[in-house]
Amino acid sequence: MKINQLFFPLITATATCFSACYQSAPKTPVIPGRPASIGFIGDTADISAPVKGGVVLIGGGGNVDGAFQWMLSRSGGGDVVVLTASGNGGYNADIDSLGKVNSVETLNITSRELANNDTVAYIIRHAEMLFIAGGDQSRYMQQWRGTKVDAAINYLLQEKKVPVGGTSAGCAILSGWYYSGEGGSAVSDSVLANPYDSLVKLYNNDFLHAPYLQQVISDQHYLKRHREGRHVTFMSRIIKDNAVFPRGIAPDEKTAVCIDENGMATVYGVSKACFIMTDSLKKPELCENGQPLEWNHAGQALKVYEIPASANGNGSFSVADFDPAKASGGSWYWWWVEKGQLKKKAI
């Protein structure tokens, strides 16, 4: 879109308001009267467009153009809304450049007051595509959970069925089980040595409800930050504390898992994504406070499918049922933990 396509309802606005709006985001101007908005491109007139559902989990570290194009192709060219709590307004121009849309707007929702604002919720509910930026997932949890914004996002996921994606922190909160990151970021070596480290704070399906992800816990920046060990530790804690055997999905940086309306996933980007399967007959042998995790089962504790990404999408994995027979384009591994050390071998 060109800048002369923008519509600014400034007939009644003062020159002071005009100046303040443009100084805050000169490339994607703010539209007065839209709470939390930190940038807008396109037409303010709401449109209705045919949509197709889908969920995108991005591992952070940079945009994945193929994943955005996948979402845009399902948006019907309608209105795109980006959510953040850290003032990240840089997605508007990037998304607008990748496909035809009616508008792109970023909402910076930094308080529960804003998260309960009727206009903010209205803007989200009328989106044909939603993207949640990175940052700190504990802020999203604390400021959005149980609010009108929370309900609006779940409306898009469950009823309107529009494409919804998230990167890094935005990815973390899209899975049913999620790690909150309160107090700091857990490190693999530390939590493998003590699964009950104070930084391991996990929550169960009390926030967003994306299709097929109720029993999934995701992790991000996966291989780049060596997070496999902490992810496995999270899963061991869920089993020990809740008697639930979760599944794992973990994209590396600049890598996206795009899950269609039937629960089939394809991997876009430049690195890899891992799909982790637990077995109800293979509980962790030792998961106790102050002791190294032991999850061995003769080197076959966890079965993992690793799919290399490509710019146009590679591989296939059924997130709907984690059926190994439906997996293609990747490689199988066994993962296990021996005396607090994560180990891997190809199958």
Side-chain angles (χ1 to χ4, degrees):
M1 290 179 190
K2 297 180 181 179
I3 193 68
N4 59 15
Q5 292 177 287
L6 295 173
F7 172 73
F8 307 112
L10 299 178
I11 296 174
T12 60
T14 64
T16 300
C17 177
F18 183 93
S19 174
C21 291
Y22 276 75
Q23 288 173 7
S24 64
K27 292 185 179 180
T28 56
V30 176
I31 304 299
R34 297 174 78 89
S37 180
I38 58 171
F40 188 98
I41 294 175
D43 189 346
T44 57
D46 181 48
I47 67 167
S48 179
V51 295
K52 187 181 291 186
V55 176
V56 173
L57 306 176
I58 302 179
N63 289 352
V64 181
D65 287 353
F68 279 116
Q69 290 166 335
W70 187 89
M71 285 187 282
L72 288 167
S73 72
R74 292 168 169 264
S75 74
D79 297 306
V80 179
V81 174
V82 179
L83 303 183
T84 183
S86 58
N88 184 354
Y91 282 101
N92 288 11
D94 290 341
I95 292 172
D96 182 61
S97 71
L98 292 171
K100 179 182 180 299
V101 294
N102 183 59
S103 68
V104 188
E105 181 171 22
T106 296
L107 303 178
N108 188 36
I109 305 171
T110 57
S111 67
R112 292 188 69 82
E113 180 182 7
L114 279 173
N116 276 312
N117 182 279
D118 287 333
T119 302
V120 171
Y122 177 92
I123 293 169
I124 294 170
R125 284 176 174 268
H126 284 76
E128 280 72 45
M129 170 180 153
L130 184 77
F131 185 72
I132 306 172
D136 180 349
Q137 63 256 39
S138 68
R139 295 182 66 185
Y140 292 159
M141 181 186 75
Q142 292 161 0
Q143 295 167 2
W144 302 356
R145 186 176 56 174
T147 67
K148 292 178 180 179
V149 161
D150 184 358
I153 300 171
N154 281 317
Y155 165 74
L156 296 182
L157 287 164
Q158 294 286 327
E159 298 183 48
K160 193 173 180 180
K161 298 187 188 323
V162 312
V164 175
T167 186
S168 192
C171 171
I173 62 171
L174 278 171
S175 53
W177 288 90
Y178 63 98
Y179 163 66
S180 69
E182 296 165 88
S185 184
V187 177
S188 288
D189 287 348
S190 297
V191 298
L192 283 167
N194 177 16
Y196 285 82
D197 185 291
S198 62
L199 291 181
V200 179
K201 296 184 182 297
L202 306 171
Y203 294 81
N204 177 16
N205 286 281
D206 64 356
F207 193 0
L208 303 184
H209 305 294
Y212 307 114
L213 299 183
Q214 292 89 345
Q215 298 304 312
V216 169
I217 183 166
S218 66
D219 209 345
Q220 310 78 36
H221 303 276
Y222 206 58
L223 304 175
K224 179 72 172 181
R225 300 186 186 178
H226 307 289
R227 285 183 168 172
E228 304 101 300
R230 81 170 198 176
H231 196 199
V232 168
T233 301
F234 297 161
M235 298 174 81
S236 74
R237 281 285 306 275
I238 292 170
I239 294 170
K240 178 65 184 296
D241 298 344
N242 300 275
V244 171
F245 286 78
R247 296 155 171 173
I249 300 177
D252 193 23
E253 291 192 352
K254 299 181 181 178
T255 302
V257 175
C258 296
I259 306 166
D260 71 15
E261 70 278 14
N262 298 312
M264 294 302 296
T266 304
V267 182
Y268 289 78
V270 301
S271 186
K272 300 175 182 179
C274 294
F275 300 84
I276 306 169
M277 303 171 64
T278 56
D279 185 333
S280 61
L281 299 178
K282 297 178 179 179
K283 295 189 296 185
E285 289 94 340
L286 182 66
C287 181
E288 299 291 345
N289 188 16
Q291 299 188 55
L293 180 64
E294 186 77 15
W295 199 358
N296 196 324
H297 291 279
Q300 296 185 358
L302 298 151
K303 195 173 185 180
V304 180
Y305 198 62
E306 186 180 276
I307 298 180
S310 72
N312 297 316
N314 178 58
S316 182
F317 192 89
S318 178
V319 174
D321 56 13
F322 274 62
D323 182 352
K326 299 176 184 177
S328 66
S331 302
W332 287 104
Y333 293 86
W334 289 118
W335 289 9
W336 71 99
V337 180
E338 187 175 335
K339 298 178 180 178
Q341 298 294 315
L342 178 66
K343 300 186 178 183
K344 307 176 183 179
K345 66 180 176 185
I347 297 177

